[in-house]
Each structure stands twice: as structure tokens, then as C-alpha cells.
Amino acid sequence: MQTHQLTCHPATPPLAVRSVEARVLSITDNWFRVRWRVDGVGKLVIPSFAGKGRQDELWKTTCFELFLQPRGGTAYCEFNLSPSERWAAYDFTGYREGMSEREFRREPDCTMRVGQAIAIFDAALPRAQVPDGKCAVGLAAVIEEEGGHLSYWALEHSGDRPDFHDASCFTAKVGAPTPA
């Protein structure tokens, strides 16, 4: 699957992070796997391990986000995934409308590995918890660096402020699962 270079919103330049890229690694009958790669981690703030569990407001620190919008509709799902292993999932009926918690029977698996120059964040979401069929995809990241400095990375940005919910951010595409 294709690797996507994320763009930092011009209103929120990073301190040391040079780039963020993301890709859907695989979609099988069991798992939807996604990877983010952060280059320039010298000042990166990584949330402390908190163990698996649902938690709101993960976007206040380093967090990786996935949006899935089934083709032909306005409804979409948002998944927030933290290096702390906390996660959140929401359904929307339209642009920032009709928000509700997305039910999860099995929690996502999240792992972050940090080296001297790069960090890799892998997430595996149970396939039964994500929409079926072809979807428009938004891949995004909130990156916190020392001093509480936040930068916002997405496939596209269209406004004066970062807005991962904007349909212009849903520019990647995914299809049906491939055999495991």
C-alpha cells in the first residue's frame, strides 16, 4: 500500500520534527493495520504508558489519527490512537455532526518504537470495528514537542486552522480486505 507524506499545517510549524508519513499496511479479514513514521524526534513528547483503554482528548498531546468515510456518504469514523496505548473511536453522521462513541468489542493494539532519529507508531484495529468496503481515508497526527509545542499533520489542509475532519483531508483510498 502507498506511503503518504503528511503535511504540517502552516500555522503550527514543528520544532525538530522534519517529517511525518503514514500508510495503511494491510487490511485482512481480522485486522486493519496502519503505520506512522516521525522523522526528527529530538524534542518529541511521548505520552507515558497508561495501558489499554478508551480515553477522550488524546489529541492534547502526541496522538495518531485515522478517519474512514465509506464512499458515497457523509458519515465517517474517527480513531484516535496514543503511544500510551489509550484509544478513542467516534462515529459522525456528517462534518462534525452527530458524534457518538463507536462501539469496540476488542481493543486496538498500539506500539511505538523510538530511535535516535525516528519513531514508528503501529496500530492494529480489529477489522470488525471498522467500516466495510471502499473508504476515503484521512491519516493525521498531532505531534507534541518540548514546551507543550503542538504541530498538526494531515494529508491535506484547507483552512486557516488545522481541521482533520475537513473532507479535504480524506484523500487516501482503501478497498476491501485481502486474504490473510
Side-chain angles (χ1 to χ4, degrees):
M1 303 230 174
Q2 181 180 1
T3 298
H4 301 277
Q5 190 68 40
L6 303 186
T7 302
C8 184
H9 192 280
T12 65
L15 298 176
V17 171
R18 292 183 291 276
S19 67
V20 178
E21 55 186 49
R23 72 184 289 191
V24 175
L25 293 175
S26 65
I27 305 168
T28 66
D29 288 339
N30 297 317
W31 295 100
F32 189 109
R33 296 181 189 279
V34 187
R35 172 174 286 167
W36 286 262
R37 181 181 187 272
V38 179
D39 184 15
V41 297
K43 297 183 179 200
L44 182 65
V45 173
I46 300 169
S48 298
F49 174 76
K52 290 184 181 185
R54 187 183 288 263
Q55 182 177 330
D56 292 328
E57 299 185 339
L58 295 172
W59 47 266
K60 290 185 172 184
T61 185
T62 299
C63 172
F64 300 90
E65 300 193 13
L66 169 68
F67 294 81
L68 296 172
Q69 183 176 45
R71 298 220 181 129
T74 58
Y76 62 95
C77 308
E78 174 186 5
F79 303 92
N80 298 333
L81 305 156
S82 172
S84 71
E85 292 195 16
R86 295 294 173 144
W87 58 274
Y90 308 98
D91 287 320
F92 292 85
T93 58
Y95 172 72
R96 293 190 178 274
E97 294 179 351
M99 182 176 133
S100 61
E101 279 193 359
R102 184 170 188 83
E103 194 172 321
F104 255 70
R105 291 177 295 282
R106 183 176 181 187
E107 295 187 286
D109 284 328
C110 300
T111 305
M112 185 150 190
R113 297 179 309 279
V114 181
Q116 291 183 356
I118 67 166
I120 303 290
F121 181 78
D122 286 323
L125 290 88
R127 180 69 180 98
Q129 309 309 139
V130 300
D132 283 330
K134 296 180 179 180
C135 290
V137 178
L139 296 160
V142 176
I143 301 295
E144 182 180 1
E145 294 180 275
E146 294 173 356
H149 185 87
L150 296 173
S151 58
Y152 299 87
W153 301 75
L155 292 169
E156 299 281 338
H157 296 283
S158 65
D160 294 341
R161 295 180 18 194
D163 184 359
F164 298 158
H165 293 255
D166 189 302
S168 68
C169 294
F170 303 172
T171 61
K173 307 289 183 225
V174 295
T178 55

